[in-house]
Amino acid sequence: MHRTEVDIWQARARLGQQLLRWGGLSLAIGLALIALSDHRFLGGLGTQTALWGLIDAVIAWLGIRSARHKSASPNAHLPAHQQQARQALRRTLWINTALDVVYVISGLVLASSIGRRDSYWRGSGLGIAIQGGFLLIFDALHALSLRPAMLPDGPLGNDNDQ
């Protein structure tokens, strides 16, 4: 019987850890931009960077907790459960990728519309576009890396696999 190459719960925890690092870095940079600059553009950029960093960090922390909790379930490592969780995560990542495109476009529209008259909004728009761009790459690469799981032959498996 074949098992998945990578345990989905470990993969989800790693994904969460990577997002947590990005969130923490974004939060720190955003707060530094706000604290160290009196320029409106950098204030807008810093505000968006810090807010998105905080949200990313919270989402990541919740995802890590969830992966650890679900991994402890008695059936969590059965191939069928691994496949279901893998498919659900891939679907979520592709939905997020589509939303990330919306974030990038929204940020650019904000920067080029209201941002033309007010540098704070130009910085905010750029901050949204940067965060959305990172998440677009992050989500798409992780979705692509989650190949379908190798499952046993037939509904009950075949112990004579090659």
Side-chain angles (χ1 to χ4, degrees), residues 123-146:
S124 291
L126 181 61
I128 293 168
I130 290 169
Q131 293 293 321
F134 168 80
L135 291 171
L136 173 67
I137 294 166
F138 181 86
D139 291 333
L141 288 177
H142 281 92
L144 289 169
S145 75
L146 289 171

Side-chain angles (χ1 to χ4, degrees), residues 81-151:
H81 290 270
Q82 289 276 310
Q83 181 187 39
Q84 287 173 337
R86 183 179 300 273
Q87 289 172 338
L89 180 57
R90 279 190 87 196
R91 185 173 36 255
T92 298
L93 288 167
W94 284 123
I95 290 168
N96 286 350
T97 299
L99 291 171
D100 299 335
V101 171
V102 173
Y103 302 148
V104 171
I105 292 169
S106 299
L108 294 174
V109 167
L110 179 62
S112 64
S113 60
I114 299 171
R116 279 198 275 174
R117 295 183 304 276
D118 187 329
S119 62
Y120 179 86
W121 291 108
R122 189 169 43 254
S124 291
L126 181 61
I128 293 168
I130 290 169
Q131 293 293 321
F134 168 80
L135 291 171
L136 173 67
I137 294 166
F138 181 86
D139 291 333
L141 288 177
H142 281 92
L144 289 169
S145 75
L146 289 171
R147 296 186 317 240
M150 294 176 60
L151 293 178

